[in-house]
C-alpha cells in the first residue's frame, strides 16, 4: 500500500493548569475547561494516535509502523529506533503556571524507567501580555544550594524568567529546569517520553484536595545546575524558504513561512516529515494522496514520499524530521 499524508485524532488531556484556548484558538473538540494538552502524534503506550483521514482511517500509528516500517519511518530511522516512533507532538495551553520540572537524559531514563530521555522544543503560538516561561537558573548553583532552596521555599529566586511573544522558540535539553507560564499557548516537539521530574508545584492541590507528587530525590542527579544561555532559538523567517530552527540528534525542525505554493524535495531525507500548522492553511500533496492542514493541525508525511507539494495562499509550518 502506498501511504498518503496522514492526519490523526487529537488525544486531549485534562490538566490542573489547563484552559480553553485549545478550542478557542485551535478548534480542538475539548469537553473540559481545564484541557491542557492535545497530543497530536503519539506512540506512547496507552496514548497511541489513530488515523482520521482516508482509507487508513481508524488504524493506529503502531499498526502502521508494524506494517510499513521503512516506507513510513525511513530506513535510517528504523535502523536507529527499530519500530519505536521517536517523536511526540503536542499543543499545550497553560491557563495557569505549570509545575517547575525537568527531564532525565537518555542514560538515566533508560536505567530508571526503560524510556528515552526527554529533549524538547517550544514554539510560542499565542501569549497573553507579560506571559513568561521559566528556563534554567539565573546563576550557577550547587546541589546543596538547590536543596536548601527547596527547604526554605526560595527556589523561585534562583530561576531564570523569559517574557515571551508569538514566534519565540526555546530548546529545552535534558536536565534543564523549566516551566511554561500562565497565558502561553505553544507547540511542543519532543522525544517520545512521558518521564517528568516535578520539583515544585506552588503548593497547589488537585480536585481531590491532594498535593501533587514531587520527585525531589530523583531530580537531584538529573539537574544541570549551571547557568546557561543556550535555550533561546534564533532563526531566520525568510518567506517561501526552509529556515532551520533546531538541528539536534533527536529531531530537526524548520520554519516555513509560505505565501505561495512550495515544493519540498525529500528524496534524500530518509525520514518521515511532520508538519504542524501554527498559522494559516495549506494542502499537502504527494504522489500517494493529499491532506489539508489548518492552524492547530498536524500531518505526518511518510518517508516514501520523494517530494511534498504545499499549496497555499498563506501558511506558517513547523517541519520536523529525524
Amino acid at each position: 500500500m502506498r501511504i498518503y499524508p496522514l492526519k490523526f485524532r487529537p488525544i486531549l488531556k485534562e490538566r490542573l493548569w489547563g484552559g480553553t484556548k485549545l478550542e478557542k484558538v485551535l478548534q480542538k473538540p475539548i469537553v473540559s475547561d481545564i484541557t491542557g494538552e492535545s497530543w497530536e502524534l503519539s506512540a506512547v503506550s496507552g496514548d497511541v494516535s489513530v488515523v482520521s483521514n482516508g482509507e487508513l482511517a481508524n488504524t493506529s500509528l503502531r499498526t502502521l509502523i508494524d506494517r510499513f516500517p521503512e516506507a513510513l519511518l525511513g530506513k535510517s530511522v528504523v535502523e536507529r529506533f527499530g519500530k519505536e516512533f521517536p517523536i511526540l507532538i503536542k499543543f499545550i495551553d497553560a491557563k495557569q503556571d505549570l509545575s517547575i520540572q525537568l527531564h532525565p537524559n537518555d542514560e538515566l531514563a533508560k536505567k530508571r524507567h526503560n524510556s528515552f530521555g526527554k529533549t524538547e522544543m517550544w514554539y510560542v503560538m499565542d501569549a497573553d501580555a507579560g506571559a513568561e516561561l521559566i528556563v534554567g537558573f539565573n546563576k550557577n548553583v550547587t546541589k546543596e544550594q538547590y536543596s536548601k532552596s527547596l527547604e526554605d521555599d526560595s527556589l523561585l529566586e534562583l530561576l531564570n524568567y523569559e517574557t515571551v511573544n508569538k514566534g519565540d522558540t526555546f530548546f529545552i535539553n535534558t536536565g534543564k529546569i523549566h516551566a511554561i507560564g500562565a497565558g502561553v499557548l505553544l507547540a511542543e516537539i519532543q522525544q517520545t517520553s512521558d518521564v517528568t521530574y516535578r520539583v515544585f508545584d506552588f503548593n497547589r492541590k488537585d480536585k481531590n484536595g491532594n498535593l501533587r507528587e514531587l520527585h525531589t530525590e530523583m531530580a537531584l542527579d538529573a539537574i544541570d545546575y549551571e547557568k546557561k544561555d543556550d535555550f533561546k532559538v534564533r532563526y531566520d523567517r525568510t518567506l517561501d524558504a526552509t529556515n532551520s530552527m533546531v538541528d539536534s540528534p533527536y529531531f530537526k525542525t524548520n520554519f516555513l513561512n509560505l505565501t505561495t505554493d512550495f515544493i519540498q524535495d525529500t528524496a534524500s531525507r530518509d525520514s518521515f516529515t511532520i508538519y504542524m500548522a501554527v498559522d494559516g492553511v495549506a494542502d499537502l500533496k504527494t504522489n500517494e494522496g493529499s491532506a489539508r492542514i489548518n492552524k492547530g493541525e498536524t500531518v505526518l508525511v511518510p518517508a516514501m514520499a520523494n517530494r511534498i507539494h504545499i499549496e497555499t495562499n498563506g501558511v506558517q509550518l513547523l517541519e520536523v524530521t529525524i
Side-chain angles (χ1 to χ4, degrees):
M1 178 177 288
R2 301 178 69 79
I3 313 170
Y4 52 90
L6 299 165
K7 300 177 75 170
F8 294 83
R9 298 174 194 153
I11 301 169
L12 300 170
K13 300 280 189 177
E14 283 191 0
R15 296 290 188 249
L16 183 67
W17 39 262
T20 58
K21 282 186 179 179
L22 291 174
E23 178 185 42
K24 292 177 179 176
V25 181
L26 304 184
Q27 285 71 58
K28 300 297 177 184
I30 68 172
V31 295
S32 163
D33 61 4
I34 55 166
T35 305
E37 301 184 7
S38 176
W39 290 24
E40 297 288 296
L41 192 50
S42 166
V44 174
S45 181
D47 287 299
V48 178
S49 294
V50 174
V51 178
S52 64
N53 67 321
E55 61 185 291
L56 291 170
N58 302 316
T59 306
S60 77
L61 179 58
R62 284 262 178 86
T63 298
L64 289 176
I65 294 172
D66 283 340
R67 290 171 64 186
F68 317 110
E70 291 189 3
L72 184 67
L73 301 181
K75 183 178 180 181
S76 65
V77 176
V78 172
E79 288 174 350
R80 183 175 171 192
F81 297 101
K83 292 186 177 181
E84 295 296 323
F85 194 70
I87 298 293
L88 175 58
I89 299 290
K90 302 176 182 177
F91 292 112
I92 296 178
D93 169 25
K95 184 177 181 180
Q96 300 180 37
D97 295 332
L98 271 67
S99 63
I100 297 168
Q101 58 188 246
L102 60 130
H103 310 295
N105 61 26
D106 284 345
E107 182 181 5
L108 201 55
K110 179 68 174 176
K111 178 181 177 182
R112 290 180 176 173
H113 312 284
N114 194 30
S115 171
F116 292 122
K118 188 175 175 183
T119 297
E120 60 191 356
M121 70 162 280
W122 298 332
Y123 175 90
V124 177
M125 296 179 66
D126 185 71
D128 294 349
E132 296 178 317
L133 303 175
I134 290 171
V135 191
F137 293 104
N138 59 29
K139 62 181 180 180
N140 291 336
V141 301
T142 65
K143 185 184 293 187
E144 291 71 28
Q145 288 173 318
Y146 166 79
S147 295
K148 185 175 185 302
S149 78
L150 294 181
E151 293 172 6
D152 62 21
D153 207 22
S154 64
L155 174 63
L156 298 181
E157 298 173 15
L158 300 178
L159 302 178
N160 175 59
Y161 294 80
E162 296 281 330
T163 302
V164 296
N165 297 289
K166 180 181 177 181
D168 288 347
T169 301
F170 297 82
F171 183 72
I172 312 296
N173 43 21
T174 55
K176 190 179 295 311
I177 199 164
H178 62 272
I180 301 170
V184 177
L185 175 70
L186 57 77
E188 180 176 273
I189 299 155
Q190 60 161 93
Q191 290 176 269
T192 290
S193 172
D194 203 26
V195 179
T196 295
Y197 293 164
R198 187 184 301 121
V199 299
F200 184 68
D201 195 34
F202 306 96
N203 302 313
R204 289 182 295 198
K205 296 181 179 180
D206 64 20
K207 61 185 179 182
N208 298 316
N210 300 312
L211 293 170
R212 292 203 295 171
E213 181 184 7
L214 300 180
H215 309 96
T216 306
E217 292 301 319
M218 283 196 295
L220 289 175
D221 293 331
I223 295 177
D224 182 351
Y225 294 99
E226 289 186 40
K227 177 186 183 300
K228 293 179 178 175
D229 297 319
D230 58 352
F231 47 81
K232 188 73 177 284
V233 177
R234 291 168 175 79
Y235 61 98
D236 292 333
R237 307 187 194 197
T238 305
L239 294 177
D240 304 315
T242 301
N243 300 284
S244 177
M245 303 177 86
V246 168
D247 187 351
S248 79
Y250 307 104
F251 51 81
K252 299 174 175 62
T253 305
N254 301 316
F255 181 70
L256 278 62
N257 188 2
L258 306 180
T259 63
T260 188
D261 294 356
F262 185 82
I263 294 177
Q264 188 68 288
D265 185 352
T266 57
S268 61
R269 186 167 279 178
D270 196 22
S271 165
F272 58 85
T273 302
I274 298 167
Y275 288 103
M276 303 180 77
V278 294
D279 208 354
V281 60
D283 290 306
L284 307 177
K285 297 185 176 182
T286 69
N287 288 337
E288 291 74 44
S290 66
R292 172 157 288 194
I293 185 170
N294 297 286
K295 178 180 178 178
E297 292 186 327
T298 301
V299 172
L300 173 63
V301 180
M304 65 183 292
N306 288 325
R307 47 193 254 160
I308 304 166
H309 189 188
I310 305 172
E311 295 183 352
T312 186
N313 292 317
V315 72
Q316 293 181 355
L317 299 169
L318 302 183
E319 179 187 65
V320 185
T321 66
I322 295 296

